[in-house]
Amino acid sequence: MKVIIVGGVAGGATAAARLRRLDEQAEIVVFERSGYVSYANCGLPYYIGGIIEDPEALTLQTPESFFARFRVDMRVRHEVTAVHPERKSVSVKNLETGEEFEECYDKLILSPGAKPTQPKLPGVGLEKLFTLRTVEDTFRIKDYINTHRPRSAVLAGGGFISLELAENLRELGMEITIVQRPRQLMNPFDPDMAAFIHGEVRRHGIRLALGHTVEGFAEKGGGVDVLLKDEAPLHADMVVLAIGVTPDAALAKEAGLELGLKGSIVVNDRMETSVPDIYAVGDAVQVKHYVTGQDAVISLAGPANKQGRIAADNICGGDSRYSGSQGSSVIKVFDLTAAATGVNETNARKAGLDADAVILSPMSHAGYYPGGRLMTMKVVFERGTCRLLGAQIVGYEGVDKRIDVLSTAIRAGLTAIQLKDLDLAYAPPYSSAKDPVNMAGFMVENLAKGVVKQWRMEDFSGLPRDGSVTLLDVRTPQEYMGGHIEGFRLIPVDELRERLEELERGKPVYVICQSGLRSYIACRILAGNGFDAYNFAGGFRYYDAVANDRRLVERSTICGMDK
């Protein structure tokens, strides 16, 4: 059996290694148009910033090491220019010599990945305008920085690569501006959770121009002007386009394979395309979202590696199935860690799900043990069924641990209430006896059973200010003086029972505290005394961060960027 693989990075390299482990006799040929195979895309920004010092550390395998261990014929700088399903062959061009030839296959795996999205705008292609996807892109940016010592950069786009690159360029001392059309960074996060990411980015001196449309680029004054719609241009010494990636499915399209979202390659759960004996894996394929069941394109290394393994299994006579992607991801943003899994509340509602969420601010470990840090968790679930839909966490230590637990819970089909039953490891330096994941489960159970009712940030603008409801802050006087919401009266929770006569019966009471815990206790006191009480999800700390971010983003859309 002869298997040809187009693309030798995550999915392609995994498929090649798995094929060899399953079939010692198969002939396996990989064509990779770049000069590198099996490299770590996610590490590229950290090489530019000097965190990763050795460029060889970016490549997990070389063609030589791959051949030595797996006897796989890895041909770099070879571009497949056409696929011919009718005669089961591919046309290939040697980019070093210019030689063109045709190679036959019994089975074909397409793993072309995705390419940086480059809109057809004036100025695309300028020397000082870069993209970051391959090792060659990385070396080009690194060499430019080392040679020209740019002092400023504009990054167009606010996803993973943009934020990681922004951090690394900022650590090199450069002035950084991020500009993009959406009014938030990191679309896997809801706007309220993205507010914490915005705050960390701003704290490190990066300017945000959110809600702006880039219309082109122009060389000016030895640098580049980024032309914005209805705004003055942004000027910098260099620009990086990081507005996302597009499935690189040109070969599949020309070969007549069925295409789906964003021009991606349609595959079934065995990673088979619409044409017999042709498989496809990685960033170029359309998959099912594990939570919604809807078609999706999810460009992450984890799914690509799993898909490569599945395709190899099935080529070798197995019956492996891909059950879908749920978009689990984590990113370092300076001192902060932000992670997400499943669907956020915004996308859950777009998918037609009746979504709700609990928001909590637990410590990373036991409060009495030194060094604990707050994290903000948002756990999204379906009303009625309490099906667990997704989660987002922003914080410091322990964020990755909790998101992995929640990701596993989603994959296992647990409800949000069943999170309370998880038996999670506890020692004071690592967690609390009631882990934050357990706490989320307790909160969802309380909502489902009517033990507490909550009100959300989205309800704030509709709160009556005509005296028909009571607005109550139950923090300490010191906390209240440090910042409060206008119209909320102060009664500390520990004084509430003795001061109930100050509240007018018959009026709903909307309660807030710093994190949501004391206001929950206050709501139980009020409910036990005949009041109709509602707890604010997230607390004043959360409210203040989100409200402040909204003001800055709004100013950004008016004035060009926030300060």
Side-chain angles (χ1 to χ4, degrees):
M1 177 176 63
K2 181 176 181 180
V3 182
I4 289 178
I5 301 174
V6 180
V9 189
T14 295
R18 179 66 171 173
L19 281 165
R20 177 56 73 225
R21 290 194 293 269
L22 296 178
D23 188 340
E24 184 64 20
Q25 307 307 319
E27 181 182 356
I28 307 168
V29 182
V30 179
F31 293 115
E32 168 58 46
R33 65 185 164 201
S34 78
Y36 300 88
V37 297
S38 191
Y39 59 82
N41 295 78
C42 301
L44 302 181
Y46 298 100
Y47 174 70
I48 293 171
I51 303 299
I52 298 173
E53 297 180 353
D54 184 358
E56 293 186 3
L58 296 172
T59 53
L60 307 177
Q61 294 276 359
T62 66
E64 294 76 19
S65 67
F66 223 101
F67 183 80
R69 178 163 296 179
F70 298 110
R71 290 300 187 267
V72 169
D73 184 3
M74 281 276 189
R75 304 188 201 177
V76 296
R77 301 291 293 157
H78 280 69
E79 181 176 13
V80 173
T81 57
V83 176
H84 312 291
E86 70 284 356
R87 57 180 184 267
K88 298 185 75 169
S89 69
V90 295
S91 295
V92 187
K93 182 176 183 179
N94 184 327
L95 300 178
E96 297 285 357
T97 66
E99 174 196 4
E100 298 185 24
F101 58 94
E102 197 164 305
E103 192 95 10
C104 294
Y105 63 83
D106 295 308
K107 304 288 184 180
L108 175 66
I109 300 177
L110 299 177
S111 182
K115 55 189 176 182
T117 303
Q118 293 200 46
K120 296 179 180 179
L121 296 175
V124 170
L126 290 175
E127 181 185 359
K128 296 174 183 176
L129 193 146
F130 302 85
T131 59
L132 180 56
R133 184 69 179 175
T134 66
V135 175
E136 287 89 347
D137 294 337
T138 308
F139 291 159
R140 181 173 170 238
I141 294 173
K142 182 81 167 177
D143 290 344
Y144 182 83
I145 292 173
N146 289 341
T147 302
H148 298 280
R149 304 292 180 186
R151 299 178 62 185
S152 60
V154 169
L155 308 185
F160 288 95
I161 290 294
S162 181
L163 258 68
E164 290 168 345
L165 186 58
E167 175 182 344
N168 280 277
L169 294 181
R170 183 64 181 149
E171 296 289 4
L172 292 176
M174 296 174 63
E175 295 292 326
I176 305 298
T177 302
I178 299 175
V179 58
Q180 69 164 7
R181 186 185 307 170
R183 297 178 67 170
Q184 70 165 82
L185 304 175
M186 296 297 294
N187 284 331
F189 293 80
D190 285 312
D192 55 349
M193 296 298 288
F196 293 91
I197 300 174
H198 297 172
E200 181 73 1
V201 167
R202 293 185 186 109
R203 190 169 69 84
H204 284 83
I206 292 177
R207 296 175 292 179
L208 300 180
L210 304 177
H212 295 282
T213 301
V214 176
E215 293 194 321
F217 309 91
E219 289 188 274
K220 184 175 181 181
V224 181
D225 270 0
V226 179
L227 309 178
L228 304 179
K229 182 178 180 180
D230 301 326
E231 290 286 351
L234 298 173
H235 184 79
D237 295 330
M238 62 181 291
V239 174
V240 180
L241 270 179
I243 58 177
V245 293
T246 302
D248 193 354
L251 284 174
K253 180 179 181 180
E254 292 168 5
L257 277 63
E258 183 183 353
L259 302 183
L261 294 175
K262 301 179 182 178
S264 58
I265 305 169
V266 172
V267 294
N268 61 18
D269 60 359
R270 288 170 49 87
M271 309 314 298
E272 296 168 322
T273 70
S274 59
V275 174
D277 298 320
I278 300 181
Y279 297 73
V281 303
D283 293 353
V285 305
Q286 174 179 288
V287 298
K288 294 293 184 184
H289 196 289
Y290 186 78
V291 175
T292 67
Q294 296 180 343
D295 293 331
V297 177
I298 298 177
S299 299
L300 291 169
N305 280 277
K306 295 179 184 71
Q307 293 159 15
R309 179 186 176 92
I310 289 168
D313 284 354
N314 293 324
I315 286 173
C316 293
D319 187 25
S320 292
R321 306 278 175 159
Y322 187 67
S323 57
S325 299
Q326 66 189 65
S328 300
S329 58
V330 64
I331 185 172
K332 175 183 178 294
V333 185
F334 292 99
D335 299 326
L336 207 62
T337 299
T341 189
V343 288
N344 61 31
E345 189 175 16
T346 305
N347 289 333
R349 291 178 176 176
K350 286 181 180 178
L353 298 170
D354 186 14
D356 199 357
V358 292
I359 300 163
L360 58 158
S361 300
M363 296 287 284
S364 57
H365 61 241
Y368 60 84
Y369 187 88
R373 305 285 297 275
L374 281 172
M375 64 178 74
T376 303
M377 295 177 59
K378 182 175 186 178
V379 177
V380 183
F381 62 95
E382 187 176 38
R383 288 189 179 95
T385 67
C386 290
R387 179 164 71 105
L388 187 57
L389 302 177
Q392 303 148 64
I393 312 177
V394 181
Y396 303 91
E397 297 83 7
V399 167
D400 53 341
K401 168 185 174 178
R402 273 70 186 213
I403 207 69
D404 283 343
V405 171
L406 289 160
S407 174
T408 304
I410 291 173
R411 186 65 57 159
L414 300 186
T415 67
I417 292 177
Q418 287 176 308
L419 296 175
K420 69 184 178 64
D421 299 321
L422 293 178
D423 195 346
L424 303 175
Y426 159 59
Y430 303 106
S431 184
S432 300
K434 291 184 286 189
D435 188 87
V437 174
N438 297 137
M439 291 299 301
F442 296 143
M443 293 171 69
V444 176
E445 181 183 46
N446 283 339
L447 286 174
K449 291 185 174 181
V451 174
V452 69
K453 294 180 282 189
Q454 70 176 6
W455 62 288
R456 302 279 305 278
M457 192 78 182
E458 61 203 53
D459 304 317
F460 182 80
S461 60
L463 277 182
R465 299 302 180 112
D466 59 359
S468 60
V469 302
T470 299
L471 306 178
L472 182 64
D473 190 322
V474 296
R475 296 177 296 159
T476 66
Q478 292 80 6
E479 289 172 317
Y480 187 84
M481 290 299 294
H484 61 271
I485 304 172
E486 185 178 352
F488 277 72
R489 62 177 301 182
L490 173 67
I491 301 180
V493 66
D494 292 336
E495 301 175 14
L496 184 57
R497 288 184 179 88
E498 288 71 38
R499 298 175 62 180
L500 288 174
E501 71 281 357
E502 297 178 26
L503 304 178
E504 187 175 341
R505 294 185 177 273
K507 289 184 179 181
V509 186
Y510 289 81
V511 190
I512 193 170
C513 73
Q514 192 71 5
S515 69
L517 176 57
R518 283 172 289 172
S519 50
Y520 161 62
I521 294 169
C523 284
R524 292 306 303 147
I525 294 171
L526 291 166
N529 286 277
F531 289 88
D532 183 21
Y534 298 80
N535 185 29
F536 181 70
F540 182 81
R541 171 182 169 272
Y542 161 86
Y543 164 84
D544 193 45
V546 176
N548 185 56
D549 178 68
R550 288 179 179 176
R551 286 191 293 268
L552 288 172
V553 171
E554 183 60 34
R555 189 168 71 185
S556 167
T557 61
I558 296 171
C559 305
M561 71 181 73
D562 58 36
K563 303 294 184 184

